[in-house]
Amino acid sequence: MNESRRFVGRPGAADVKLPPGQHLTRDFPVLSAGPTPHVPIEQWELTIDDGTRVLRQWSWKAFRELPAESFTADLHCVTRWSKLGTTWEGVSVDTLLAGLTIDASFARARSYGGYTTNLPLRDVTNGQAWIAFRFDGADLAPEHGGPARLLVPHLYSWKSAKWVRGLALLDHDEPGFWERNGYHNYGDPWREQRYSDD
Ligand SMILES: Nc1nc2c(c(=O)[nH]1)N[C@H]1C(S)=C(S)[C@@H](COP(=O)(O)O)O[C@H]1N2
Ligand SMILES: [Mo]
């Protein structure tokens, strides 16, 4: 990605640089295709699989014992709002995959509630994606994906699956919920890849 963009502007600044067709918002809209799932924390699990076999699995307790990072991210929703400089805490997907021998090029996230989204594996590795559980200094609210959501800030936010329950590492690309319903397969906001024919 173009690193220079990250440091240009602040919310409200006249020179703020946004992806094409986006406008700034200061509040945090809730965008959910269905109801907010409520999973008791004792039943919550995060699973890495290869489409067939479970490769790794964490309970909430085990997940929270993994090393976590604080990070700042700009969010860009395909419905044209952007929110800059949001602060999060989460476990890097690199940490989840560390030590695994991976023969896959794609990842498919799935959520409690049934939502899915697909990404190239190279877009969720190398410090570009987290399973986030805190936002703005507080536990992540259920409507924003709590207890934990995927966050992949360099792509449109529909790729950041709320209530994430697993990542499948696949040798083939499998379109997710919005990707099957007219959204772009990749979703780069800087190239304005909103819909399948963009
Ligand atoms: N499980 C799930 N994750 C989801 C969605 C959804 O409907 N279900 N909506 C996506 C969309 S379109 C956006 S813009 C962001 C919105 O996150 P927010 O509601 O925390 O703003 O979540 C994404 N992740
Ligand atoms: Mo969105």
Side-chain angles (χ1 to χ4, degrees):
M1 87 183 268
N2 183 342
E3 284 293 321
S4 66
R5 286 171 179 144
R6 287 170 167 266
F7 304 104
V8 183
R10 276 285 156 267
D15 64 346
V16 73
K17 291 286 189 291
L18 286 170
Q22 296 293 110
H23 62 258
L24 279 179
T25 180
R26 283 183 174 280
D27 47 39
F28 195 179
V30 172
L31 271 281
S32 303
T36 294
H38 292 278
V39 182
I41 213 74
E42 320 81 61
Q43 281 163 37
W44 185 93
E45 281 181 329
L46 180 67
T47 304
I48 308 287
D49 68 70
D50 66 2
T52 318
R53 289 173 308 126
V54 172
L55 304 177
R56 284 191 176 158
Q57 199 161 49
W58 296 268
S59 65
W60 181 256
K61 183 172 181 291
F63 169 71
R64 291 293 283 102
E65 285 166 1
L66 294 170
E69 304 170 358
S70 297
F71 61 98
T72 300
D74 298 341
L75 309 180
H76 308 295
C77 174
V78 71
T79 64
R80 299 184 182 273
W81 58 264
S82 290
K83 185 172 176 61
L84 304 186
T86 61
T87 55
W88 299 83
E89 196 180 328
V91 175
S92 170
V93 173
D94 296 314
T95 300
L96 303 179
L97 303 186
L100 281 178
T101 306
I102 297 169
D103 185 21
S105 304
F106 301 94
R108 194 167 196 263
R110 65 181 179 284
S111 297
Y112 291 102
Y115 187 85
T116 54
T117 189
N118 58 309
L119 310 103
L121 188 62
R122 66 171 178 277
D123 285 86
V124 294
T125 49
N126 299 311
Q128 299 180 94
W130 296 265
I131 307 294
F133 52 85
R134 285 175 73 78
F135 165 74
D136 202 16
D139 289 345
L140 183 58
E143 65 268 29
H144 287 298
R149 73 182 296 171
L150 180 64
L151 214 69
V152 193
H154 71 287
L155 299 176
Y156 280 123
S157 296
W158 85 76
K159 298 285 184 180
S160 293
K162 303 197 282 189
W163 316 295
V164 67
R165 67 181 299 177
L167 291 177
L169 313 178
L170 304 172
D171 60 8
H172 61 285
D173 200 8
E174 248 181 64
F177 174 75
W178 282 120
E179 293 84 1
R180 285 192 310 265
N181 285 283
Y183 282 11
H184 196 276
N185 193 56
Y186 183 63
D188 180 352
W190 297 98
R191 288 186 279 167
E192 213 170 354
Q193 295 173 336
R194 297 177 192 276
Y195 308 112
S196 53
D197 51 358
D198 287 340

